[in-house]
C-alpha cells in the first residue's frame, strides 16, 4: 500500500494589501467580509477541508515592506516547516479555491518536483514544490515570489502543469472591485454549481 504524501500548505497572509486600501478598502483585504466569513477564513476553510497540514505565514511586526513580500513570506514559511514533505504555496487572498484543487496538486507533487495548476490558459495557486526545492525556497527575498524556481524547473523538464476545472485557483482579491465581483459570484451560486458539476 502506498504511503500518503502530505505536503504542507503555506498560506501567505503577511502582505500589506496596499492596492486594496488604495481602492477604498477600510480593512486589510484578508479581513474583508465575503458572506459569513472573511477572505482569509474562506481560504482556511478550503485548506482545512483538504486534510493537508498547513502553516499560516503572518506579519512579523514593524519591519520593512520587503520583509513581508511574497519571497520573504515563502522563505519564512519553509523555515518554519523545514521537515515538511513538500510545500503548496497559497496566497491568502484566493477565497474561491477548492479543497479538491489542493489535494490534486499535493497528489501530483508526489511524482514531480514542481507542480503549477492551471485552469484553461490561466496559471494559478497553490504552486507545489517538493523537498528538492527547499534550499532555493529558503533563499527567496523581497516580493518576487518563486517564479525563478518554477522557470528553472520548466527548463529542466521537472515542472508539471496540472489542468484543473477550478477558476478559483486564479481569482484573487486585490481591490474592492475584486471583492465585489467575488461576492456577486458567491451570491449567484455560480461556484457552488461549478463544484457540483466537477464531482460528477
Amino acid at each position: 500500500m502506498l504511503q500518503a504524501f502530505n505536503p504542507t500548505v503555506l498560506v501567505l497572509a503577511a502582505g500589506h494589501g496596499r492596492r486594496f486600501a488604495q481602492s477604498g478598502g477600510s480593512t486589510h483585504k484578508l479581513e474583508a467580509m465575503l458572506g459569513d466569513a472573511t477572505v482569509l477564513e474562506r481560504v482556511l476553510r478550503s485548506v482545512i477541508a483538504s486534510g493537508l497540514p498547513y502553516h499560516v505565514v503572518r506579519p512579523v511586526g514593524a519591519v520593512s515592506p520587503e520583509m513581508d513580500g511574497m519571497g520573504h513570506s515563502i522563505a519564512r514559511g519553509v523555515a518554519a516547516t523545514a521537515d515538511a514533505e513538500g510545500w503548496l504555496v497559497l496566497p491568502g487572498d484566493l477565497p474561491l479555491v477548492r479543497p479538491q484543487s489542493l489535494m490534486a496538486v499535493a497528489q501530483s507533487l508526489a511524482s514531480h518536483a514542481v507542480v503549477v495548476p492551471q485552469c484553461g490558459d490561466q496559471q494559478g495557486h497553490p504552486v507545489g514544490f517538493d523537498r528538492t526545492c527547499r534550499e532555493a525556497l529558503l533563499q527567496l527575498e523581497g516580493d518576487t515570489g518563486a517564479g525563478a524556481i518554477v522557470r528553472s524547473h520548466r527548463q529542466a523538464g521537472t515542472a508539471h502543469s496540472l489542468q484543473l476545472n477550478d477558476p478559483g485557483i486564479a481569482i484573487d482579491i486585490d481591490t474592492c472591485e475584486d471583492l465585489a465581483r467575488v461576492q456577486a459570484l458567491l451570491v449567484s451560486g455560480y461556484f457552488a454549481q461549478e463544484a457540483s458539476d466537477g464531482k460528477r
Side-chain angles (χ1 to χ4, degrees):
M1 183 176 176
L2 290 175
Q3 185 176 359
F5 183 73
N6 291 305
T8 294
V9 183
L10 297 181
V11 182
L12 307 183
H16 291 272
R18 288 189 184 86
R19 285 181 60 192
F20 190 77
Q22 291 167 356
S23 71
S26 58
T27 67
H28 190 286
K29 66 178 181 178
L30 300 186
E31 297 171 357
M33 295 301 298
L34 270 175
D36 64 346
T38 67
V39 171
L40 182 58
E41 285 169 348
R42 283 188 172 273
V43 173
L44 291 176
R45 283 180 184 177
S46 289
V47 172
I48 292 168
S50 76
L52 294 168
Y54 69 95
H55 175 78
V56 182
V57 183
R58 299 188 183 276
V60 294
V63 296
S64 65
E66 292 77 14
M67 289 300 290
D68 275 339
M70 183 175 282
H72 268 111
S73 292
I74 295 170
R76 286 200 290 119
V78 171
T81 58
D83 294 330
E85 296 180 7
W87 298 272
L88 271 57
V89 176
L90 179 64
D93 63 352
L94 278 87
L96 300 178
V97 66
R98 297 178 190 151
Q100 296 88 344
S101 296
L102 304 181
M103 295 160 65
V105 174
Q107 182 178 9
S108 184
L109 194 61
S111 53
H112 300 92
V114 172
V115 177
V116 182
Q118 289 189 212
C119 182
D121 59 358
Q122 281 195 299
Q123 184 173 305
H125 285 88
V127 178
F129 300 90
D130 75 1
R131 283 190 59 81
T132 64
C133 300
R134 179 175 175 272
E135 292 305 316
L137 292 169
L138 287 171
Q139 299 302 313
L140 293 175
E141 296 179 323
D143 200 28
T144 55
I149 299 174
V150 173
R151 287 191 294 274
S152 175
H153 279 274
R154 285 195 192 281
Q155 291 169 0
T158 51
H160 175 61
S161 293
L162 178 66
Q163 278 291 338
L164 297 174
N165 181 27
D166 180 6
I169 66 172
I171 299 177
D172 58 357
I173 305 291
D174 281 328
T175 66
C176 290
E177 290 75 16
D178 294 338
L179 185 71
R181 190 158 45 245
V182 170
Q183 182 67 55
L185 287 170
L186 289 172
V187 169
S188 73
Y190 171 77
F191 273 84
Q193 181 62 43
E194 282 279 298
S196 176
D197 292 344
K199 291 177 183 177
R200 292 173 187 167

